[in-house]
């Protein structure tokens, strides 16, 4: 914990989300024809269902999502969410279909996110983090960060980047969740963190983890859509908008079939590069 204290005493690099920034979140369906009809089912989960994850301890809710890159016009937050939450996408043995609900959230005030640095843990990070790293280097060169703090930052970066065996991931989650808990406790002005994950697709992935109370007070659920993911093999994969949302005055959500869904199914035998998949926001 003293290591964390050393980090949080240095000048914090913060990315500020301007009012109206799009934050994308996804929730997997647990059964066929499932629909999430209220905001609470698309937001962070209740504490009794929360397990240890990258930025939270057991029983500690956290809102995870993705935002658009400031530098890459081809960045796709829905793809980031898909790769982060669905291991079937990269599992060559999986064949079938899955339903997912994506939700679009807009902030009503500026949001301050602490930037998790990247070092050599990320061979091809999103461009945003390469730019942030240049700012971290300025702090190092100006002697505003000592060698001990740099080593702790590198260790933090390594744990945030780690993906692999379940036991290895759990050990890293314990480290990163402990750090995030300490950060939020000592810096109430920080609303969340922004970090990169080492995904198979190079140069994408701008992830956020935001305090649940900030979501409740400062974010609006703007839209959501049910998407259907199809996979025949690792080269024949497709994800389509299946249903999109409408909101009643009482806040209840209902869904209507996307008019282009069945037309798009005509192309389901085409081979797709994931980076070329198009989503509507």
């Amino acid at each position: 914990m003293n290591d964390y204290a050393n980090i949080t005493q240095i000048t914090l690099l913060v990315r500020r989300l301007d009012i109206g920034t799009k934050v994308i979140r996804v929730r997997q369906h647990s059964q066929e024809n499932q629909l999430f009809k209220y905001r609470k089912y698309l937001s962070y989960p209740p504490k009794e269902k929360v397990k240890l994850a990258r930025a939270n301890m057991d029983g500690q809710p956290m809102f995870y999502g993705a935002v658009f890159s400031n530098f890459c016009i081809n960045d796709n937050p829905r793809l980031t969410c898909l790769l982060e939450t669905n291991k079937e996408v990269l599992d060559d043995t999986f064949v079938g279909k899955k339903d997912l609900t994506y939700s679009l959230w807009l902030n009503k005030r500026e949001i301050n996110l602490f930037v998790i640095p990247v070092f050599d843990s990320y061979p091809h990070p999103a461009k945003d983090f390469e730019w942030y790293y240049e700012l971290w280097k300025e702090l190092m060169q100006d002697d505003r960060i000592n060698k001990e703090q740099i080593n702790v930052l590198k260790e933090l970066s390594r744990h945030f980047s780690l993906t692999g065996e379940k036991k290895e991931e759990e050990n890293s989650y314990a480290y990163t969740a402990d750090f995030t808990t300490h950060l939020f406790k000592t810096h109430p002005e920080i609303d969340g963190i922004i970090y990169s994950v080492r995904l198979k697709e190079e140069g994408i992935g701008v992830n956020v983890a935001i305090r649940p109370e900030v979501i409740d007070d400062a974010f609006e659920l703007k839209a959501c859509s049910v998407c259907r993911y199809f996979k025949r093999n690792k080269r024949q994969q497709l994800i389509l908008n299946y249903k999109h949302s409408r909101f009643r005055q009482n806040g209840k959500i209902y869904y209507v079939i996307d008019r282009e869904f069945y037309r798009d199914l005509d192309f389901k035998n085409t081979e797709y590069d994931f980076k070329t998949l198009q989503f509507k926001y």
Side-chain angles (χ1 to χ4, degrees):
M1 188 62 70
N2 290 333
D3 289 343
Y4 302 156
N6 286 337
I7 294 177
T8 55
Q9 293 304 313
I10 66 177
T11 303
L12 291 175
L13 280 180
V14 173
R15 173 170 171 181
R16 183 163 294 149
L17 300 185
D18 294 332
I19 294 173
T21 297
K22 294 177 179 179
V23 179
I24 310 299
R25 178 173 167 81
V26 68
R27 178 169 178 184
Q28 299 186 60
H29 292 206
S30 59
Q31 59 191 34
E32 192 173 357
N33 298 319
Q34 185 176 23
L35 294 175
F36 301 115
K37 298 183 178 180
Y38 292 96
R39 170 189 163 117
K40 65 180 180 180
Y41 298 124
L42 295 168
S43 185
Y44 55 86
K47 64 180 181 180
E48 60 269 16
K49 293 186 177 182
V50 175
K51 302 299 182 183
L52 175 69
R54 204 177 302 274
N56 66 271
M57 298 292 193
D58 285 339
Q60 182 184 62
M62 189 67 65
F63 182 98
Y64 291 92
V67 296
F68 283 92
S69 168
N70 281 341
F71 297 89
C72 180
I73 61 173
N74 295 323
D75 185 46
N76 196 325
R78 280 199 184 184
L79 179 54
T80 298
C81 290
L82 180 68
L83 292 170
E84 269 277 80
T85 59
N86 291 269
K87 293 186 177 181
E88 295 87 351
V89 177
L90 300 178
D91 181 359
D92 293 345
T93 66
F94 175 78
V95 175
K97 68 179 182 179
K98 295 187 67 176
D99 283 349
L100 317 158
T101 294
Y102 284 93
S103 50
L104 169 63
W105 302 75
L106 303 181
N107 53 313
K108 297 179 287 187
R109 67 164 173 83
E110 292 182 338
I111 300 297
N112 297 315
L113 303 176
F114 175 75
V115 180
I116 302 297
V118 299
F119 292 91
D120 52 4
S121 302
Y122 298 81
H124 302 285
K127 291 294 184 182
D128 304 58
F129 294 95
E130 292 181 358
W131 182 77
Y132 295 138
Y133 179 57
E134 293 302 315
L135 297 181
W136 278 111
K137 285 201 298 186
E138 288 184 15
L139 293 177
M140 298 175 197
Q141 291 168 356
D142 293 343
D143 293 327
R144 284 181 280 175
I145 304 179
N146 60 44
K147 289 184 178 180
E148 180 183 351
Q149 290 170 324
I150 292 172
N151 290 334
V152 174
L153 285 170
K154 287 183 176 180
E155 183 71 0
L156 180 66
S157 175
R158 184 182 71 82
H159 282 291
F160 263 99
S161 73
L162 190 64
T163 56
E165 298 297 324
K166 183 176 180 181
K167 186 63 178 179
E168 194 176 31
E169 278 193 346
E170 287 179 352
N171 290 337
S172 283
Y173 285 174
Y175 187 97
T176 56
D178 194 27
F179 167 77
T180 305
T181 300
H182 180 74
L183 175 72
F184 288 171
K185 182 179 179 180
T186 55
H187 288 273
E189 75 280 7
I190 297 296
D191 298 309
I193 62 172
I194 184 166
Y195 60 97
S196 182
V197 173
R198 188 165 52 188
L199 298 174
K200 184 177 180 180
E201 297 296 327
E202 297 180 358
I204 71 167
V206 184
N207 302 271
V208 296
I210 301 174
R211 301 175 188 254
E213 62 270 22
V214 174
I215 296 298
D216 291 341
D217 296 338
F219 276 82
E220 172 188 7
L221 173 60
K222 193 67 176 178
C224 48
S225 61
V226 178
C227 289
R228 184 155 286 177
Y229 168 69
F230 301 88
K231 184 173 183 179
R232 286 189 169 184
N233 54 58
K234 67 180 180 180
R235 291 299 306 170
Q236 291 180 307
Q237 306 187 63
L238 178 64
I239 187 164
L240 299 174
N241 289 321
Y242 177 41
K243 297 181 178 181
H244 54 269
S245 62
R246 296 285 187 272
F247 291 86
R248 302 189 188 279
Q249 288 187 343
N250 63 0
K252 188 174 183 179
I253 306 167
Y254 69 99
Y255 297 84
V256 295
I257 294 285
D258 191 298
R259 290 182 298 178
E260 298 182 358
F261 175 74
Y262 292 104
R263 180 188 66 81
D264 290 340
L265 276 179
D266 291 339
F267 302 101
K268 66 176 182 245
N269 292 321
T270 304
E271 291 188 357
Y272 284 83
D273 180 336
F274 266 119
K275 282 190 175 181
T276 68
L277 290 180
Q278 297 297 312
F279 294 90
K280 297 176 182 177
Y281 291 93

